Amino acid sequence: MISSEKALALVLSHSSKGFRTREISLSDALDYVLAADVISLIDMPPFRQSAMDGYALKIGETNSYKILGEVQAGGVNSLQLNKGEAVRIFTGAPVPDTADAVVIQEKVRLKADTILVEDPLQLMMNIRPQGEQIKKAAVALAKGTSIKGTHIGFLAGLGITRIEVAEKPAIAVVVTGNELVPAGQDLAHGKIYESNSAMLIAVLKELGYSNTTVISIKDHFESTKEALRETIEKNDVVIVTGGVSVGDYDFVGKALNAIGVHEIFHKVNQKPGKPMYFGKKEHTAIFGLPGNPAAALTCFYVYVYPLLKKYQGAEDAHLLTILLPLLNDYTVIGGDRAQFLKAKISGTGVEILTGQSSAMLSAFGTANAFVFVPEDRIKLEKGEIVKTILLPIK
């Protein structure tokens, strides 16, 4: 078996596929990854801009300033000011070129067409310089940036309507097992409801991946082999759940080998997720995840999601990891393997949750992180600093 660190390094090293790109509308760009730098079309702000409601003035010898007029947001700044003169101005409005300060309205006393400034003035106070945020022709967002809502707002403010992005991969979720039946059917003795595909498709959708399909396979070697062959040919990433262990009816590994998939690793020294498989065939990445739901979801977050981001050219595909104090004592079960323990960050620390069984999803309902525990650790004590991996949940 290999370590979880080695497994992730191998996954990411085999995701260097030349991704397809296309130009899309900025409004559709959420969760895509930039395939090229975005260059600013303008200075931002495009003119000297008032940061406050108040008065733009040219600093004079006294605290008295004659009001010549006003400039609204969207107006023009053609008024010429001499020392001791001011204009009424509003937030976002263009500051006259001859003004050298904006005083907020709460700091003046108004007398007819004159204001008396109560506090000392400073050059450029409350004036946003032209190009303060970004200059025209500068890189607004770099290639490899994962687009978030704030990025869309920023680019829209620069007048950008279309961007070049990496195409999202086509993903197939393959579920195996004679014991599985769809939810809604009668549950005969010995059968269980199939939930992994619903879970993984929902999580993929939550993370911005909608080009997905679900394939169901019974525990039969020939049918498994042919279904996997066809699925791999049509998709960039194939996620198989179940059938990757070493039981008499676990045919996935044998079938993948028979159709020429190159096995990169099989089995990781971790809990949950020990039997995980990873392989490649031409451009397609194939994951074999455990059948137990919590183990499958853990392996998805730790290995599959980083690969999906790397496939799109993300600058950093790793899950964010921080160090936090532990909020509770915890006894590790099965400390001979590294463990990804479902946890919840709250306040200034992280709590390891109950319900860590690989078959139980309930703890994922409140988890927002994993606490990573290296192998051979048994006792974790409240207050100790632990490696905390943030889940990409929304």
Side-chain angles (χ1 to χ4, degrees):
M1 285 189 293
I2 63 173
S3 69
S4 59
E5 293 89 350
K6 178 65 173 177
L8 180 57
L10 285 170
V11 166
L12 293 180
S13 71
H14 284 84
S15 59
S16 57
K17 175 192 165 195
F19 49 81
R20 302 177 295 274
T21 67
R22 65 186 176 108
E23 188 180 85
I24 64 173
S25 169
L26 181 64
S27 61
D28 297 326
L30 189 65
D31 293 321
Y32 279 87
V33 175
L34 281 178
D37 292 346
V38 179
I39 306 302
S40 179
L41 304 175
I42 60 171
D43 289 336
M44 177 54 69
F47 47 81
R48 296 202 315 157
Q49 190 178 58
S50 178
M52 297 286 182
D53 290 341
Y55 297 86
L57 49 82
K58 189 169 182 65
I59 298 175
E61 307 300 332
T62 71
N63 70 337
S64 177
Y65 291 83
K66 183 177 177 59
I67 302 171
L68 300 187
E70 72 173 29
V71 183
Q72 299 178 6
V76 296
N77 61 357
S78 58
L79 289 168
Q80 299 296 309
L81 301 180
N82 297 311
K83 284 186 177 182
E85 294 178 339
V87 294
R88 181 79 166 105
I89 200 164
F90 300 91
T91 303
V95 176
D97 295 337
T98 48
D100 48 25
V102 171
V103 59
I104 63 175
Q105 59 193 19
E106 293 85 356
K107 297 297 183 180
V108 303
R109 283 184 291 134
L110 182 62
K111 288 188 175 182
D113 62 351
T114 301
I115 56 169
L116 299 176
V117 179
E118 298 176 337
D119 288 353
L121 298 171
Q122 296 178 345
L123 288 173
M124 296 299 293
M125 66 187 297
N126 299 318
I127 296 176
R128 299 170 182 150
Q130 180 173 335
E132 178 184 37
Q133 184 172 185
I134 190 170
K135 297 287 189 182
K136 181 179 179 179
V139 175
L141 286 180
K143 174 183 177 180
T145 300
S146 296
I147 299 296
K148 300 178 176 60
T150 51
H151 295 135
I152 291 174
F154 176 52
L155 296 182
L158 300 177
I160 292 166
T161 60
R162 300 187 67 79
I163 56 175
E164 186 178 356
V165 299
E167 188 69 85
K168 292 183 181 181
I171 306 166
V173 175
V174 179
V175 292
T176 69
N178 291 336
E179 75 280 13
L180 303 176
V181 296
Q185 293 187 7
D186 291 337
L187 196 63
H189 181 71
K191 302 291 186 180
I192 59 173
Y193 288 125
E194 194 281 302
S195 61
N196 280 348
S197 64
M199 171 185 70
L200 291 172
I201 292 297
V203 171
L204 285 164
K205 184 177 180 180
E206 182 181 41
L207 295 171
Y209 298 96
S210 57
N211 186 11
T212 58
T213 55
V214 175
I215 310 294
S216 296
I217 304 176
K218 295 299 183 182
D219 290 329
H220 180 270
F221 177 71
E222 288 299 327
S223 59
T224 298
K225 185 174 69 173
E226 292 310 309
L228 287 174
R229 186 199 309 277
E230 182 178 348
T231 303
I232 289 169
E233 288 175 354
K234 294 179 178 179
N235 292 276
D236 300 305
V237 178
V238 174
I239 306 168
V240 186
T241 69
V244 295
S245 193
V246 291
D248 292 345
Y249 297 96
D250 293 322
F251 295 117
V252 170
K254 302 180 186 72
L256 292 173
N257 182 63
I259 61 177
V261 173
H262 170 56
E263 179 184 306
I264 296 168
F265 64 79
H266 185 198
K267 294 186 180 179
V268 183
N269 192 35
Q270 71 175 59
K271 183 178 180 180
K274 175 183 174 181
M276 198 187 93
Y277 171 100
F278 177 64
K280 287 288 292 290
K281 184 174 184 183
E282 298 176 355
H283 74 275
T284 304
I286 300 99
F287 290 92
L289 306 187
N292 280 323
L297 188 54
T298 296
C299 291
F300 172 85
Y301 281 132
V302 174
Y303 301 106
V304 183
Y305 180 62
L307 177 129
L308 295 177
K309 300 303 290 184
K310 186 74 179 294
Y311 254 21
Q312 293 178 264
E315 187 67 23
D316 185 3
H318 292 81
L319 296 178
L320 181 62
T321 300
I322 58 177
L323 298 177
L324 288 175
L326 190 60
L327 296 177
N328 57 325
D329 295 329
Y330 191 83
T331 300
V332 179
I333 300 174
D336 57 327
R337 286 181 275 161
Q339 301 205 19
F340 293 90
L341 299 174
K342 296 177 283 293
K344 183 176 181 180
I345 298 171
S346 57
T348 58
V350 60
E351 175 190 2
I352 297 174
L353 301 171
T354 58
Q356 294 292 334
S357 166
S358 61
M360 296 168 58
L361 278 175
S362 55
F364 267 115
T366 54
N368 56 17
F370 292 128
V371 166
F372 177 78
V373 182
E375 59 185 272
D376 299 326
R377 283 296 310 274
I378 301 298
K379 292 285 188 180
L380 300 179
E381 295 183 358
K382 180 179 179 179
E384 73 171 277
I385 303 301
V386 292
K387 182 177 179 181
T388 306
I389 303 169
L390 278 62
L391 298 181
I393 57 179
K394 298 181 180 180

